[in-house]
Amino acid sequence: MDTDFPNAIYPTLKDRVVFITGGGSGIGAGLVGHFSAQGAAVTFVDVAEEPSLALVDAVAAAGYRRPDFIRCDLRDIEALRAAIATTAERHGPIRVLLNNAGNDDRHRTEDVTPAYWDDRMAVNVRHQFFAAQAVRPYMRDAGGGSIVNFGSITWMVGDPDCPAYVTAKAAITGMTRALARELGPERIRVNCMIPGWVMTERQVRLWLTPDGERQIAERQCLPDRLYPSDIARMALFLASEDSRMCTSQHFIVDGGWV
Protein backbone atom coordinates (compact mmCIF):
# COMPACT_ATOMS: atom_id res chain seq x y z
CA MET A 1 0.00 0.00 0.00
CA ASP A 2 1.20 3.48 -0.88
CA THR A 3 1.58 5.23 2.50
CA ASP A 4 3.03 8.52 1.27
CA PHE A 5 -0.02 10.42 2.42
CA PRO A 6 -0.32 14.19 1.93
CA ASN A 7 -0.04 16.84 4.60
CA ALA A 8 -3.22 18.51 3.35
CA ILE A 9 -6.40 17.57 5.19
CA TYR A 10 -9.77 18.18 3.53
CA PRO A 11 -12.44 18.45 6.25
CA THR A 12 -15.26 18.05 3.72
CA LEU A 13 -14.03 14.53 2.92
CA LYS A 14 -14.42 13.22 6.47
CA ASP A 15 -17.32 10.73 6.52
CA ARG A 16 -18.04 11.44 2.86
CA VAL A 17 -19.17 8.33 0.98
CA VAL A 18 -16.67 7.55 -1.78
CA PHE A 19 -16.96 4.85 -4.46
CA ILE A 20 -13.78 3.81 -6.30
CA THR A 21 -13.52 1.45 -9.26
CA GLY A 22 -10.42 -0.68 -9.76
CA GLY A 23 -9.23 0.02 -6.24
CA GLY A 24 -7.34 -3.19 -5.54
CA SER A 25 -3.94 -2.23 -6.95
CA GLY A 26 -1.93 0.48 -8.66
CA ILE A 27 -3.41 3.97 -8.81
CA GLY A 28 -6.67 2.64 -7.37
CA ALA A 29 -5.00 1.31 -4.25
CA GLY A 30 -3.39 4.71 -3.75
CA LEU A 31 -6.83 6.32 -3.98
CA VAL A 32 -8.28 3.89 -1.43
CA GLY A 33 -5.48 4.59 1.04
CA HIS A 34 -5.52 8.36 0.66
CA PHE A 35 -9.29 8.74 0.94
CA SER A 36 -9.41 6.38 3.92
CA ALA A 37 -6.70 8.50 5.56
CA GLN A 38 -9.03 11.51 5.19
CA GLY A 39 -11.71 9.66 7.16
CA ALA A 40 -13.94 9.07 4.14
CA ALA A 41 -16.30 6.08 3.98
CA VAL A 42 -14.63 4.29 1.08
CA THR A 43 -16.03 1.39 -0.90
CA PHE A 44 -14.05 0.03 -3.80
CA VAL A 45 -14.66 -2.63 -6.42
CA ASP A 46 -12.15 -4.78 -8.23
CA VAL A 47 -12.05 -8.12 -10.01
CA ALA A 48 -8.94 -9.27 -8.11
CA GLU A 49 -10.07 -10.49 -4.71
CA GLU A 50 -6.82 -11.46 -2.96
CA PRO A 51 -4.92 -8.15 -3.33
CA SER A 52 -8.10 -6.21 -2.58
CA LEU A 53 -8.68 -7.99 0.73
CA ALA A 54 -5.01 -7.50 1.61
CA LEU A 55 -5.39 -3.78 0.90
CA VAL A 56 -8.38 -3.53 3.24
CA ASP A 57 -6.33 -5.07 6.05
CA ALA A 58 -3.30 -2.90 5.30
CA VAL A 59 -5.33 0.32 5.41
CA ALA A 60 -6.91 -0.66 8.73
CA ALA A 61 -3.56 -1.76 10.15
CA ALA A 62 -2.11 1.65 9.28
CA GLY A 63 -4.72 3.22 11.57
CA TYR A 64 -7.04 4.60 8.91
CA ARG A 65 -10.74 4.08 8.35
CA ARG A 66 -11.34 0.57 7.09
CA PRO A 67 -12.62 0.54 3.50
CA ASP A 68 -15.22 -1.85 2.14
CA PHE A 69 -14.41 -4.14 -0.79
CA ILE A 70 -16.97 -5.61 -3.19
CA ARG A 71 -15.77 -7.98 -5.87
CA CYS A 72 -17.08 -6.85 -9.24
CA ASP A 73 -16.22 -7.40 -12.89
CA LEU A 74 -17.01 -3.98 -14.33
CA ARG A 75 -17.95 -5.48 -17.67
CA ASP A 76 -21.07 -6.66 -15.85
CA ILE A 77 -23.08 -3.45 -15.58
CA GLU A 78 -25.79 -5.00 -13.45
CA ALA A 79 -23.16 -6.13 -10.92
CA LEU A 80 -21.73 -2.60 -10.90
CA ARG A 81 -25.17 -1.12 -10.28
CA ALA A 82 -25.71 -3.59 -7.46
CA ALA A 83 -22.38 -2.65 -5.84
CA ILE A 84 -23.29 1.04 -5.97
CA ALA A 85 -26.72 0.36 -4.46
CA THR A 86 -25.15 -1.75 -1.69
CA THR A 87 -22.71 1.05 -0.90
CA ALA A 88 -25.52 3.57 -0.54
CA GLU A 89 -27.52 1.20 1.65
CA ARG A 90 -24.56 0.66 3.98
CA HIS A 91 -23.17 4.18 4.21
CA GLY A 92 -25.62 6.68 2.79
CA PRO A 93 -25.63 8.69 -0.45
CA ILE A 94 -22.50 8.46 -2.57
CA ARG A 95 -21.01 11.94 -2.95
CA VAL A 96 -17.73 11.04 -4.70
CA LEU A 97 -17.19 8.67 -7.63
CA LEU A 98 -13.67 7.89 -8.80
CA ASN A 99 -13.91 6.11 -12.15
CA ASN A 100 -10.39 4.74 -12.05
CA ALA A 101 -10.52 1.18 -13.43
CA GLY A 102 -8.90 0.37 -16.75
CA ASN A 103 -6.44 -1.91 -18.49
CA ASP A 104 -3.71 -0.85 -20.90
CA ASP A 105 -2.76 -4.22 -22.38
CA ARG A 106 -0.63 -3.72 -25.48
CA HIS A 107 -1.95 -4.70 -28.90
CA ARG A 108 -1.42 -3.97 -32.59
CA THR A 109 -4.08 -2.84 -35.04
CA GLU A 110 -3.80 -5.90 -37.26
CA ASP A 111 -4.50 -8.18 -34.29
CA VAL A 112 -7.67 -6.45 -33.07
CA THR A 113 -10.92 -8.36 -33.59
CA PRO A 114 -14.42 -6.93 -33.09
CA ALA A 115 -14.74 -8.98 -29.89
CA TYR A 116 -11.44 -7.64 -28.51
CA TRP A 117 -12.40 -4.08 -29.43
CA ASP A 118 -15.74 -4.36 -27.64
CA ASP A 119 -14.02 -5.84 -24.60
CA ARG A 120 -11.53 -2.95 -24.45
CA MET A 121 -14.39 -0.45 -24.57
CA ALA A 122 -16.18 -2.34 -21.79
CA VAL A 123 -13.05 -2.47 -19.64
CA ASN A 124 -11.93 1.10 -20.18
CA VAL A 125 -14.86 3.43 -20.81
CA ARG A 126 -18.36 1.89 -20.77
CA HIS A 127 -18.47 1.28 -17.01
CA GLN A 128 -17.50 4.89 -16.32
CA PHE A 129 -20.68 6.13 -17.96
CA PHE A 130 -22.93 3.64 -16.19
CA ALA A 131 -21.30 4.27 -12.82
CA ALA A 132 -21.96 7.99 -13.27
CA GLN A 133 -25.54 7.22 -14.28
CA ALA A 134 -26.03 5.10 -11.16
CA VAL A 135 -24.60 7.58 -8.64
CA ARG A 136 -26.38 10.59 -10.10
CA PRO A 137 -29.63 10.25 -8.07
CA TYR A 138 -27.70 9.95 -4.81
CA MET A 139 -25.61 13.03 -5.55
CA ARG A 140 -28.58 15.04 -6.81
CA ASP A 141 -30.71 14.29 -3.76
CA ALA A 142 -27.81 15.04 -1.41
CA GLY A 143 -27.21 18.47 -2.95
CA GLY A 144 -24.30 17.66 -5.23
CA GLY A 145 -21.18 15.60 -5.65
CA SER A 146 -17.95 15.05 -7.54
CA ILE A 147 -17.27 12.56 -10.32
CA VAL A 148 -13.67 12.09 -11.41
CA ASN A 149 -13.18 10.09 -14.60
CA PHE A 150 -9.68 8.75 -15.19
CA GLY A 151 -8.22 9.20 -18.64
CA SER A 152 -4.61 8.97 -19.80
CA ILE A 153 -2.00 11.02 -21.64
CA THR A 154 -1.74 8.17 -24.15
CA TRP A 155 -4.36 9.73 -26.40
CA MET A 156 -2.62 13.09 -26.27
CA VAL A 157 0.74 11.70 -27.36
CA GLY A 158 -0.77 9.03 -29.64
CA ASP A 159 0.86 5.94 -28.20
CA PRO A 160 1.24 3.46 -31.07
CA ASP A 161 1.00 0.13 -29.26
CA CYS A 162 -2.56 0.14 -27.81
CA PRO A 163 -4.99 1.84 -30.24
CA ALA A 164 -8.17 0.51 -28.63
CA TYR A 165 -7.04 1.72 -25.19
CA VAL A 166 -6.06 5.11 -26.62
CA THR A 167 -9.47 5.44 -28.27
CA ALA A 168 -11.28 4.63 -25.02
CA LYS A 169 -9.21 7.11 -23.03
CA ALA A 170 -9.85 9.87 -25.57
CA ALA A 171 -13.57 9.17 -25.34
CA ILE A 172 -13.49 9.74 -21.59
CA THR A 173 -12.58 13.38 -22.07
CA GLY A 174 -15.59 13.95 -24.32
CA MET A 175 -17.89 12.05 -21.98
CA THR A 176 -16.67 14.16 -19.07
CA ARG A 177 -17.57 17.41 -20.78
CA ALA A 178 -21.01 16.15 -21.81
CA LEU A 179 -21.84 14.89 -18.31
CA ALA A 180 -20.53 18.06 -16.68
CA ARG A 181 -22.89 20.16 -18.79
CA GLU A 182 -25.90 17.93 -18.11
CA LEU A 183 -25.31 17.37 -14.39
CA GLY A 184 -24.05 20.83 -13.51
CA PRO A 185 -27.49 22.23 -12.62
CA GLU A 186 -27.68 19.53 -9.96
CA ARG A 187 -24.34 20.72 -8.51
CA ILE A 188 -22.63 17.55 -9.65
CA ARG A 189 -19.12 18.32 -10.81
CA VAL A 190 -17.51 16.09 -13.44
CA ASN A 191 -13.80 16.30 -14.18
CA CYS A 192 -11.23 14.16 -15.94
CA MET A 193 -7.94 13.16 -14.32
CA ILE A 194 -5.20 12.47 -16.85
CA PRO A 195 -2.20 10.68 -15.33
CA GLY A 196 1.15 10.33 -17.00
CA TRP A 197 3.37 7.28 -16.65
CA VAL A 198 2.76 6.26 -13.05
CA MET A 199 5.20 3.86 -11.42
CA THR A 200 2.79 1.17 -10.29
CA GLU A 201 4.06 -2.34 -9.64
CA ARG A 202 2.58 -3.49 -12.96
CA GLN A 203 4.15 -0.69 -14.98
CA VAL A 204 7.56 -1.24 -13.44
CA ARG A 205 7.39 -5.01 -13.93
CA LEU A 206 6.20 -4.96 -17.52
CA TRP A 207 7.51 -1.83 -19.17
CA LEU A 208 10.14 0.10 -17.19
CA THR A 209 13.04 -1.04 -19.33
CA PRO A 210 16.25 0.94 -19.96
CA ASP A 211 14.51 2.35 -23.05
CA GLY A 212 11.57 3.36 -20.87
CA GLU A 213 13.89 5.11 -18.44
CA ARG A 214 15.44 7.05 -21.31
CA GLN A 215 11.99 8.01 -22.57
CA ILE A 216 11.06 9.42 -19.16
CA ALA A 217 14.30 11.41 -19.06
CA GLU A 218 13.63 12.82 -22.51
CA ARG A 219 9.89 13.51 -22.26
CA GLN A 220 9.16 14.63 -18.68
CA CYS A 221 10.00 18.18 -17.65
CA LEU A 222 10.56 17.03 -14.06
CA PRO A 223 13.20 14.40 -13.30
CA ASP A 224 11.26 12.60 -10.57
CA ARG A 225 9.08 9.56 -11.05
CA LEU A 226 5.28 9.69 -10.79
CA TYR A 227 3.66 7.50 -8.14
CA PRO A 228 0.05 6.70 -7.20
CA SER A 229 0.26 9.21 -4.34
CA ASP A 230 0.82 12.02 -6.85
CA ILE A 231 -2.42 11.13 -8.59
CA ALA A 232 -4.31 10.67 -5.32
CA ARG A 233 -3.39 14.16 -4.12
CA MET A 234 -5.08 15.74 -7.12
CA ALA A 235 -8.07 13.43 -6.73
CA LEU A 236 -8.48 14.53 -3.09
CA PHE A 237 -8.68 18.14 -4.21
CA LEU A 238 -11.19 17.40 -6.99
CA ALA A 239 -13.37 15.38 -4.61
CA SER A 240 -13.38 18.01 -1.88
CA GLU A 241 -15.38 21.20 -1.66
CA ASP A 242 -12.14 23.15 -2.14
CA SER A 243 -12.68 22.55 -5.87
CA ARG A 244 -16.37 23.53 -5.73
CA MET A 245 -16.23 25.54 -8.96
CA CYS A 246 -14.04 23.15 -10.96
CA THR A 247 -15.96 21.11 -13.52
CA SER A 248 -15.80 20.06 -17.18
CA GLN A 249 -12.00 20.19 -17.07
CA HIS A 250 -9.13 17.78 -17.45
CA PHE A 251 -6.34 17.85 -14.91
CA ILE A 252 -3.01 16.49 -16.13
CA VAL A 253 -0.58 15.03 -13.62
CA ASP A 254 2.32 13.79 -15.71
CA GLY A 255 5.50 15.58 -14.60
CA GLY A 256 5.30 17.69 -17.76
CA TRP A 257 5.17 14.94 -20.36
CA VAL A 258 2.64 16.65 -22.66
Side-chain angles (χ1 to χ4, degrees):
M1 181 184 67
D2 185 350
T3 57
D4 184 17
F5 295 125
N7 293 323
I9 301 298
Y10 295 92
T12 56
L13 292 179
K14 182 173 173 55
D15 297 323
R16 185 143 291 190
V17 181
V18 177
F19 189 86
I20 302 172
T21 66
S25 63
I27 292 173
L31 296 171
V32 170
H34 279 69
F35 277 84
S36 296
Q38 295 283 335
V42 174
T43 296
F44 71 97
V45 293
D46 202 290
V47 72
E49 188 166 356
E50 185 175 345
S52 296
L53 292 173
L55 175 63
V56 169
D57 290 340
V59 170
Y64 304 112
R65 184 164 181 166
R66 188 179 188 89
D68 284 352
F69 163 63
I70 301 174
R71 188 187 183 283
C72 179
D73 185 335
L74 292 171
R75 291 172 293 189
D76 183 344
I77 298 302
E78 289 307 314
L80 171 60
R81 287 170 170 160
I84 288 171
T86 297
T87 299
E89 290 167 5
R90 289 177 179 172
H91 301 292
I94 296 168
R95 300 291 302 277
V96 176
L97 168 64
L98 302 174
N99 268 325
N100 161 74
N103 185 289
D104 62 348
D105 280 351
R106 301 317 196 237
H107 53 274
R108 298 188 61 79
T109 294
E110 60 265 30
D111 298 325
V112 173
T113 64
Y116 182 80
W117 178 271
D118 290 346
D119 183 72
R120 293 302 88 188
M121 297 304 113
V123 167
N124 290 304
V125 62
R126 187 180 68 162
H127 61 83
Q128 293 203 15
F129 175 84
F130 286 104
Q133 181 191 69
V135 302
R136 178 184 185 177
Y138 301 114
M139 293 184 176
R140 179 194 61 217
D141 294 348
S146 174
I147 298 173
V148 183
N149 300 320
F150 279 67
S152 169
I153 65 167
T154 55
W155 74 266
M156 293 181 166
V157 300
D159 277 1
D161 55 358
C162 50
Y165 176 79
V166 169
T167 300
K169 288 300 184 179
I172 290 166
T173 296
M175 180 183 69
T176 295
R177 292 184 66 82
L179 290 176
R181 182 67 62 181
E182 180 181 356
L183 306 188
E186 299 167 8
R187 292 186 173 84
I188 299 172
R189 299 180 293 108
V190 189
N191 289 292
C192 185
M193 171 81 76
I194 302 184
W197 191 0
V198 181
M199 297 295 103
T200 65
E201 184 277 331
R202 182 173 186 267
Q203 294 293 317
V204 171
R205 174 170 48 84
L206 293 179
W207 296 301
L208 191 61
T209 63
D211 284 344
E213 292 279 12
R214 283 192 293 272
Q215 188 180 31
I216 293 172
E218 292 169 359
R219 296 296 298 271
Q220 278 189 191
C221 295
L222 299 174
D224 303 309
R225 298 294 178 262
L226 278 168
Y227 292 100
S229 57
D230 298 306
I231 307 306
R233 290 188 183 100
M234 179 61 80
L236 291 173
F237 170 71
L238 292 175
S240 75
E241 292 303 316
D242 290 50
S243 59
R244 60 179 291 272
M245 293 303 288
C246 296
T247 196
S248 192
Q249 304 302 316
H250 58 258
F251 292 81
I252 304 172
V253 183
D254 70 347
W257 193 292
V258 296

